[in-house]
Amino acid sequence: MAKIFQVSVRAGMTRVVEPIARALLRAGVTPNTVTVIGTVGVLVGALGFGARGHLVAGALIVTVFALTDLLDGTMARMSGGSTKFGAFLDSSMDRIADSAVFGAVAYWLATQGDRAGVAAALICLAAGGLVSYVKARAEGLGMTCNVGIAERTERLLIVGVGGLLTGLGLDPALPVALWLLAAVSIFTVGQRMRHVYRQAEQARAGVRG
């Protein structure tokens, strides 16, 4: 099934960031440095602005710095491929950033007395971590798991749009976005588990045959 954020759009954005990636590499900046800077930026946007109710500024800052996920990957590819530590660092920083985003959202909603919204934010946090874990575990077992309608980029875009619209005065937008995100994240976990199950069954059938 196609992802929400279509592959063609991803490819288009990659072409946009390639000149920036080349310039940074020529300046001696490493992909790992960009990864850490991107995470720090997300933390500033989420905790420094979003958690305090400055949703428009928080959403814009988080979105800008979340796009470094494309930038550091492009830089790694241009410099000969990601190292094992680079892949480990990128994954770890992603989890830190995601926790900050949804933790900040849950905190702000709690200050507004929106218990349902807090519950949705916590479900998104847990389901988002599970989406990533299922893929990592599958790949650790030698299988592929690059499927699902809501990967990290899609998840951040959904909550970002919801936060932006709420900050602009459309109050229900963020809770609605969170419940939508919770649903698609859980669905993505199911997609990935089904994909891995099929691979495992095919491998077992091949051994028996």
Side-chain angles (χ1 to χ4, degrees):
M1 183 179 291
K3 297 176 177 62
I4 296 173
F5 195 37
Q6 297 293 333
V7 174
S8 59
V9 178
R10 290 173 182 268
M13 292 189 67
T14 298
R15 286 194 292 270
V16 171
V17 303
E18 280 181 351
I20 303 173
R22 291 193 186 94
L24 290 173
L25 288 171
R26 284 196 297 267
V29 179
T30 67
N32 290 347
T33 299
V34 173
T35 297
V36 173
I37 290 173
T39 302
V40 171
V42 171
L43 292 175
V44 170
L47 302 178
F49 290 87
R52 297 167 59 193
H54 304 300
L55 300 184
V56 174
L60 292 175
I61 293 171
V62 167
T63 299
V64 168
F65 281 97
L67 290 176
T68 59
D69 214 29
L70 288 175
L71 182 58
D72 60 11
T74 302
M75 291 173 65
R77 176 174 54 80
M78 289 180 170
S79 60
S82 176
T83 64
K84 289 184 178 180
F85 176 74
F88 168 79
L89 178 67
D90 185 63
S91 180
S92 299
M93 292 296 101
D94 284 351
R95 303 291 79 74
I96 292 173
D98 291 354
S99 297
V101 169
F102 291 103
V105 169
Y107 174 82
W108 181 76
L109 289 170
T111 65
Q112 306 303 302
D114 188 347
R115 294 184 178 180
V118 172
L122 294 178
I123 292 172
C124 289
L125 177 59
L130 189 54
V131 167
S132 300
Y133 173 78
V134 169
K135 180 178 181 179
R137 182 59 175 155
E139 291 177 346
L141 293 172
M143 293 180 279
T144 62
C145 196
N146 191 28
V147 298
I149 62 171
E151 294 189 348
R152 183 171 185 261
T153 302
E154 285 83 358
R155 297 196 301 272
L156 289 179
L157 281 174
I158 291 172
V159 71
V161 170
L164 183 62
L165 292 176
T166 294
L168 292 173
L170 189 60
D171 292 344
L174 183 55
V176 169
L178 288 170
W179 282 113
L180 172 62
L181 179 55
V184 297
S185 296
I186 292 170
F187 184 73
T188 299
V189 172
Q191 282 183 298
R192 291 189 167 183
M193 294 184 72
R194 182 182 181 188
H195 184 70
V196 172
Y197 173 77
R198 286 180 172 177
Q199 290 178 79
E201 287 299 296
Q202 289 172 359
R204 188 170 66 171
V207 171
R208 289 178 178 176

